[in-house]
Amino acid sequence: MNDIVIDVNNVTIRFNLASEKVDNLKEYFVKLVKRELLFQEFLAVKDASFQIRKGESWALVGSNGSGKSTLLKAICGILKPYRGTISVNGAISPLLELGAGFDMNLTAKENIYLNGTVLGHSKKYIQKHFDEIVEFSELQNFLNSPVKNFSSGMRARLGFAIATTVQPDILIVDEILAVGDYAFQQKCLKRMNEMMNGGTTLLFVSHSINQVRTLCKHAIWIDQGTIQKKGEVNEVCDAYMDMMEKKQKK
Amino acid sequence: MRLFITRIKGFIKYTDLMNELVSRDLKLKYRRSILGYLWSILNPLFIMIIMTIVFSRMFKRGNIPNYPVYLISGQILFNFMNLSTKSAIQSINGSASLLKKTYVPKYIFTVSKVESGLIDCIFSFGALLIVMIFTRNHFSPYLLLFPLILIQEFIFILGLSMLLAASNVFFHDIYYIYNAITTAWLYLTPIFYPIEYLPDMLRWFVVHLNPMYAYVTQLRCLTLYNCFPDISMIIYGCADAVIMLMIGIWFFLKTQDKFILYI
């Protein structure tokens, strides 16, 4: 059983969805005195369990706000589950948002170092792969201009290039290929395929069911925080599409 | 114990990130200014000149051999505390976009702000040297002990910053409250006046409960009075620093899992 890389065990994730968020002391005391301090509980993910084995490719599908991204964040270690456990075996490369760590005032070159170290690489490692990153992002002519002048597509290219220099054990991709032109999307898909052939486990979120069907072998369908169905990709996607169509007819 | 070892490993893994963040802060601070890093020296120098013009006659009767050196010794240490904590207090809120999307140990951002503050402070020691040369102050070998004071103060600031940064996540007005506190703190530290001018009661509180007094007094021993700092001041300084750091780390670790729900 050693080949399980992600083990999600009865995980529940809770948010405080208070109608008015109290974020300063003055309001806190006013509400405390008035006895209006409510903790409105919202469970973004309810009692989810699944196991992912090494080398498998899984997709998470579901409508907006169903808890897909929350679940991914919990697996990356950004969120702590309220109940249940998540154990992860191996190095994760999270692609929740491309270029999340960019400082808009720094140049592309400086951002490659900053973002690379954010992802946990050493400076030496980035120096070694610098040319590779620049080549993949196709931004040779813009290395010394500040990232604030870049288009969102250019930022995405740079972000993807930095995040995928490494061959991670687990690659987590959240809806990032929506930006970027067709050629770049193909390039990204190709690179993800290469990684999977090299033994990387993939966890993929996308609203493009076609991409899901071509890239993944398994899928999980989440609706309003609960897992509706998990298993072979085509079965799950068919069930999900059925539900979506029924909803539309109503 | 195992937790401790993983924490240390995490720290080592992210040292490069820490360096990148510090160099980003320094680069952005003076980018597109002609004088660049010189501002770190010029700033305290200008303020010292103005304050000397205003206050030096007022405190002539106090036992201060060299007023400009007296002033700038206190001023650079207080500025170190003031500027570092004020940038560190926003360090978690300011990195929200990053903390929501990737896993990075959260304290890195707070520590890097204090570290940039330390580097800035070391630059401004240049201003102190300039003033000492211009006023023909003597240079004693004790001056080489200044890193000991900076280490104490750095630890103290680190603890305070972690406490402030963590609490500012939950209550954004901590920042404004703290601004008012530092103003009071400035006047309760003998930076531009001699400690003897304070009434007895107040003086007791400043000497015993204001860590900045311990650091400023130690530095003045080196720059002005040509002696080894008073042992009691060193003990106060170190004790304050260690206690503050423990409170800061305790509070930060206790609350850090909830940050993500508030930023």
Side-chain angles (χ1 to χ4, degrees):
Chain A
M1 293 298 277
N2 276 337
D3 55 349
I4 290 178
V5 284
I6 301 175
D7 186 1
V8 175
N9 215 334
N10 298 86
V11 163
T12 298
I13 298 167
R14 186 178 71 161
F15 280 105
N16 179 8
L17 199 77
S19 45
E20 278 174 84
K21 211 171 162 196
V22 178
D23 63 359
N24 60 63
L25 274 175
K26 189 188 79 196
E27 254 174 61
Y28 183 81
F29 283 116
V30 171
K31 296 236 158 141
L32 195 69
V33 172
K34 285 178 158 174
R35 294 172 186 278
E36 276 179 0
L37 268 184
L38 298 173
F39 192 87
Q40 203 179 343
E41 191 175 79
F42 170 70
L43 299 177
V45 176
K46 290 170 216 154
D47 210 22
S49 307
F50 56 89
Q51 278 97 28
I52 294 178
R53 284 164 203 281
K54 193 172 182 322
E56 287 181 336
S57 51
W58 284 76
L60 283 174
V61 293
S63 43
N64 287 332
S66 56
K68 303 177 302 267
S69 299
T70 311
L71 196 55
L72 289 190
K73 281 184 186 174
I75 292 170
C76 296
I78 300 166
L79 276 170
K80 284 264 155 76
Y82 171 57
R83 272 197 299 265
T85 53
I86 295 176
S87 57
V88 173
N89 227 330
I92 293 185
S93 222
L95 284 176
L96 299 185
E97 187 185 303
L98 288 176
F102 286 160
D103 190 304
M104 292 300 154
N105 290 313
L106 292 177
T107 65
K109 193 174 171 185
E110 288 161 334
N111 263 312
I112 290 176
Y113 282 100
L114 182 64
N115 206 299
T117 46
V118 164
L119 294 172
H121 303 319
S122 67
K123 197 167 180 177
K124 232 190 205 156
Y125 182 88
I126 302 163
Q127 263 157 2
K128 215 174 93 193
H129 290 80
F130 190 83
D131 292 335
E132 200 183 308
I133 294 171
V134 175
E135 198 185 325
F136 189 87
S137 65
E138 300 169 19
L139 291 171
Q140 288 87 342
N141 299 329
F142 304 99
L143 275 182
N144 289 318
S145 31
V147 173
K148 65 181 168 194
N149 299 340
F150 282 21
S151 73
S152 57
M154 285 159 88
R155 269 175 226 160
R157 274 194 333 235
L158 190 59
F160 191 88
I162 299 168
T164 54
T165 45
V166 69
Q167 165 92 38
D169 300 324
I170 304 159
L171 182 69
I172 293 185
V173 180
D174 185 2
E175 197 87 48
I176 48 165
L177 301 179
V179 283
D181 50 30
Y182 180 76
F184 181 67
Q185 282 187 12
Q186 293 309 310
K187 208 168 160 185
C188 292
L189 290 173
K190 197 177 143 220
R191 185 159 242 194
M192 275 152 69
N193 266 320
E194 277 168 22
M195 284 183 160
M196 275 150 59
N197 292 337
T200 296
T201 310
L202 177 74
L203 199 54
F204 185 64
V205 168
S206 174
H207 285 295
S208 153
I209 294 297
N210 288 334
Q211 262 180 17
V212 167
R213 282 185 208 253
T214 49
L215 208 57
C216 302
K217 291 210 174 64
H218 309 268
I220 298 170
W221 167 26
I222 305 183
D223 191 49
Q224 293 181 354
T226 31
I227 293 184
Q228 299 287 339
K229 197 173 168 67
K230 58 184 169 187
E232 206 272 324
V233 66
N234 286 320
E235 273 174 40
V236 175
C237 287
D238 289 343
Y240 171 61
M241 291 308 281
D242 269 1
M243 199 277 295
M244 291 293 271
E245 274 163 21
K246 267 181 207 156
K247 229 183 195 174
Q248 225 165 30
K249 275 175 195 160
K250 274 181 198 170
Chain B
M1 193 61 205
R2 247 186 64 213
L3 189 71
F4 185 71
I5 292 170
T6 23
R7 288 245 156 86
I8 295 287
K9 269 192 190 149
F11 184 77
I12 293 167
K13 184 177 170 197
Y14 285 101
T15 39
D16 277 340
L17 172 61
M18 185 97 79
N19 296 338
E20 284 298 317
L21 288 173
V22 171
S23 78
R24 170 188 72 171
D25 282 348
L26 294 176
K27 268 182 206 156
L28 288 182
K29 193 167 177 188
Y30 297 117
R31 173 159 287 180
R32 287 188 207 95
S33 67
I34 305 166
L35 295 175
Y37 294 113
L38 263 182
W39 279 115
S40 287
I41 299 176
L42 291 178
N43 237 337
L45 213 55
F46 285 146
I47 294 172
M48 187 280 301
I49 290 170
I50 294 165
M51 289 181 72
T52 303
I53 292 169
V54 177
F55 290 119
S56 65
R57 309 204 82 201
M58 230 180 262
F59 298 115
K60 209 140 209 185
R61 284 174 301 131
N63 188 21
I64 300 172
N66 183 342
Y67 189 75
V69 174
Y70 181 88
L71 181 67
I72 201 167
S73 308
Q75 194 198 330
I76 53 178
L77 289 189
F78 192 86
N79 269 349
F80 174 27
M81 191 283 293
N82 196 8
L83 298 178
S84 315
T85 47
K86 272 183 189 160
S87 70
I89 197 170
Q90 302 275 31
S91 58
I92 303 292
N93 295 97
S95 320
S97 65
L98 198 58
L99 289 173
K100 278 182 189 167
K101 301 292 178 192
T102 41
Y103 174 75
V104 180
K106 299 169 188 65
Y107 62 86
I108 297 270
F109 298 100
T110 310
V111 177
S112 78
K113 290 287 179 202
V114 182
E115 220 173 278
S116 335
L118 176 69
I119 290 171
D120 224 31
C121 173
I122 290 171
F123 274 122
S124 58
F125 264 81
L128 174 67
L129 288 180
I130 292 173
V131 175
M132 286 174 78
I133 292 166
F134 265 85
T135 56
R136 300 218 176 81
N137 200 59
H138 52 79
F139 283 83
S140 76
Y142 287 115
L143 205 55
L144 295 173
L145 291 175
F146 81 90
L148 288 181
I149 301 165
L150 279 185
I151 290 169
Q152 291 170 40
E153 200 187 340
F154 178 77
I155 293 172
F156 173 77
I157 294 172
L158 198 58
L160 183 60
S161 297
M162 291 183 97
L163 180 67
L164 290 169
S167 37
N168 196 50
V169 171
F170 303 105
F171 300 113
H172 294 308
D173 52 357
I174 297 271
Y175 179 71
Y176 303 105
I177 298 170
Y178 183 68
N179 263 337
I181 292 176
T182 48
T183 311
W185 200 348
L186 172 69
Y187 292 113
L188 286 173
T189 311
I191 289 168
F192 55 87
Y193 59 84
I195 182 86
E196 292 81 19
Y197 276 48
L198 288 176
D200 284 346
M201 251 282 278
L202 199 56
R203 187 160 71 200
W204 188 90
F205 278 107
V206 170
V207 172
H208 293 88
L209 296 175
N210 183 356
M212 288 314 296
Y213 175 72
Y215 306 133
V216 169
T217 314
Q218 287 180 58
L219 185 62
R220 280 178 187 152
C221 284
L222 310 184
T223 55
L224 215 52
Y225 303 112
N226 207 3
C227 62
F228 191 78
D230 197 22
I231 291 293
S232 70
M233 280 298 131
I234 297 178
I235 292 171
Y236 276 133
C238 292
D240 285 339
V242 172
I243 292 168
M244 196 66 236
L245 184 67
M246 289 198 308
I247 295 173
I249 290 179
W250 169 79
F251 187 74
F252 197 94
L253 292 183
K254 193 170 159 269
T255 54
Q256 66 171 353
D257 287 342
K258 286 189 228 143
F259 287 176
I260 186 84
L261 305 176
Y262 290 85
I263 52 179

